[in-house]
Amino acid sequence: MLFDSYQLQQLGLKNRIVMPPMTRSRAAAGEVATDLMAQYYSQRAAAGLIISEGTQISKQGQGYAWTPGIYSPAQIAGWKKVTDAVHAAGGRIFAQLWHVGRVSHTSIQENGAAPVSPSAIQAEGVKVFIDTTGNGADAGKGSHTEMVQHSMPRELTIPEIKQIVKDYAQAAKNAIAAGFDGVELHGANGYLIEQFIDSQTNHRTDEYGGSLNNRLSFLKEVVTAVADAIGKERVGVRQAPLTTLMGAQDDNPEVTYIEAAKLLNEIGVAYIHIAEADWDDAPVMPVAFKEAYRKAFSGTLIYAGKYTKERAEEALEKGWADLIAFGRPFIANPDLPYKLAHNLPLNTPDRPTFFGGNATGYTDYPVHKSDVNVLQPATV
């Protein structure tokens, strides 16, 4: 079913394999996407859909060194090189729009400002990646980089919240100007949108906090503004209902996130991208939860989280998912759809090269055939 031609015609995709957002920290000065990044993404254009690495909507939205932005003319131009390369290789690509909220450091923020969050709560032990000397991504991780506790955030005012909503809408317009086919809003992994949603990170007592309906207000405003800006059919949202990454935690996640799915269904976004917990001893997403998502949301559902071809086929067969995202396998296998279709062995990703650096561990993985951009999956 990963290559079911009739169903794929309905979705407008060449296969059901998604390359999900994966931070690789290789942006140039000014947080600009590079020619090397264009090569990296175009190599993987055999995916049915590529979702870019997290791309900050503003300087305030940045939480780590060397991640790309989409708020300046230079950044838009940099991403245009990427989208042109992907489209030339026959691919489709969405931009993941990102505001990290509290998960940042004063050394990254403009003028050394404190990061922002719905509430002034620090997640102890949550660290961010900073460049201590300004040597840049090419040098890779080493003596000039450091993982440090994120800085204490300050609580956003209501006017500031309204401005961030506008920043999301403008970033979406910028993404379309840069040639992206659509955008995914990063509402997962403990970043700003999820900080508003989750009960343990949002202690506000105004219209953005307290009740579940209030905690979903920021999500609703952002998604609505972005849908109005570029069209709801070009908008997806990522959620991670059971993960506790970056200190994210909700007291009743199954209730909270099904209500969020209902809200997104009412707005009519194109898809929800659900990240299942994928670490050892992680909470398993119950089948009943997946079935509730399907009932709550009538659009496309994408699932990610240590999927193998066999697990992917099961999820598609049982109707939980419409598309399956393969993360780390795509890092090491630019020709992943071809290899899955032909049951070929996969390259193993080189973890030390995940963040920062040059072409090593980025664009130099071997492929099964010489030109990955012309690979077509077998009919299975």
Side-chain angles (χ1 to χ4, degrees):
M1 288 182 66
L2 281 169
F3 306 101
D4 182 320
S5 59
Y6 174 74
Q7 291 285 343
L8 292 169
Q9 286 175 8
Q10 307 297 100
L11 294 169
L13 303 177
K14 56 189 174 185
N15 57 57
R16 294 176 182 270
I17 299 170
V18 174
M19 176 178 164
M22 292 178 286
T23 294
R24 301 303 306 275
S25 296
R26 280 170 167 83
E31 291 73 55
V32 174
T34 65
D35 291 343
L36 185 64
M37 290 169 64
Q39 181 184 359
Y40 167 76
Y41 282 107
S42 64
Q43 284 179 340
R44 290 152 178 81
L49 174 65
I50 293 173
I51 305 167
S52 83
E53 61 207 275
T55 302
Q56 56 261 15
I57 63 170
S58 63
K59 183 63 178 174
Q60 183 192 71
Q62 184 175 4
Y64 307 89
W66 315 329
T67 57
I70 196 157
Y71 53 89
S72 76
Q75 291 165 353
I76 295 169
W79 276 119
K80 187 68 166 59
K81 294 179 182 179
V82 175
T83 61
D84 283 349
V86 170
H87 291 149
R92 296 181 64 186
I93 183 168
F94 275 38
Q96 190 189 61
L97 302 184
W98 193 21
H99 191 305
V100 301
R102 70 181 183 177
V103 188
S104 187
H105 191 266
T106 54
S107 65
I108 294 172
Q109 293 290 305
E110 194 166 11
N111 300 319
V116 297
S117 189
S119 299
I121 302 171
Q122 189 175 44
E124 290 296 333
V126 172
K127 296 184 177 183
V128 297
F129 173 58
I130 65 171
D131 182 344
T132 57
T133 63
N135 284 343
D138 286 349
K141 290 178 71 174
S143 60
H144 68 296
T145 64
E146 191 176 352
M147 293 292 293
V148 298
Q149 166 70 43
H150 84 81
S151 300
M152 180 69 186
R154 65 172 180 82
E155 182 175 303
L156 284 162
T157 67
I158 288 180
E160 288 173 327
I161 293 170
K162 302 296 185 184
Q163 181 57 53
I164 292 174
V165 172
K166 293 178 181 178
D167 290 344
Y168 271 105
Q170 184 59 55
K173 293 178 183 178
N174 293 348
I176 299 304
F180 284 100
D181 298 297
V183 304
E184 175 178 288
L185 301 175
H186 198 342
N189 297 357
Y191 298 119
L192 185 63
I193 291 175
E194 189 170 29
Q195 289 164 28
F196 272 94
I197 294 173
D198 286 354
S199 58
Q200 293 195 25
T201 52
N202 183 348
H203 292 178
R204 300 179 74 95
T205 57
D206 58 16
E207 66 218 66
Y208 290 99
S211 69
L212 175 55
N213 187 60
N214 284 4
R215 287 186 281 115
L216 291 174
S217 294
F218 183 67
L219 171 68
K220 181 178 182 180
E221 290 182 14
V222 169
V223 176
T224 300
V226 169
D228 288 347
I230 65 170
K232 62 186 180 182
E233 72 282 357
R234 289 178 161 182
V235 181
V237 177
R238 196 172 208 209
Q239 298 182 329
L242 294 183
T243 72
T244 55
L245 294 172
M246 308 304 164
Q249 197 163 352
D250 186 77
D251 293 327
N252 299 289
E254 295 187 23
V255 173
T256 295
Y257 282 90
I258 294 305
E259 285 304 308
K262 291 177 181 177
L263 169 62
L264 296 174
N265 192 60
E266 290 171 6
I267 296 171
V269 300
Y271 69 78
I272 298 176
H273 182 181
I274 300 162
E276 297 184 63
D278 63 356
W279 58 88
D280 292 340
D281 300 322
V284 175
M285 192 170 185
V287 170
F289 197 178
K290 295 179 179 181
E291 291 174 344
Y293 254 112
R294 177 56 79 189
K295 290 178 182 177
F297 186 72
S298 59
T300 296
L301 290 175
I302 305 172
Y303 275 84
K306 274 192 174 178
Y307 275 87
T308 61
K309 181 179 179 179
E310 292 70 29
R311 285 190 63 224
E313 296 282 10
E314 178 189 17
L316 296 170
E317 184 70 34
K318 293 186 174 178
W320 305 328
D322 300 296
L323 305 172
I324 300 293
F326 296 83
R328 284 179 287 274
F330 251 124
I331 289 177
N333 298 275
D335 53 349
L336 182 66
Y338 184 90
K339 286 180 175 174
L340 291 177
H342 295 276
N343 297 310
L344 296 171
L346 302 182
N347 302 325
T348 301
D350 180 24
R351 287 180 176 273
T353 61
F354 276 7
F355 305 106
N358 49 30
T360 302
Y362 192 57
T363 57
D364 63 346
Y365 284 104
V367 297
H368 190 260
K369 291 190 176 181
S370 59
D371 187 354
V372 67
N373 292 332
V374 300
L375 292 180
Q376 295 296 325
T379 301
V380 295

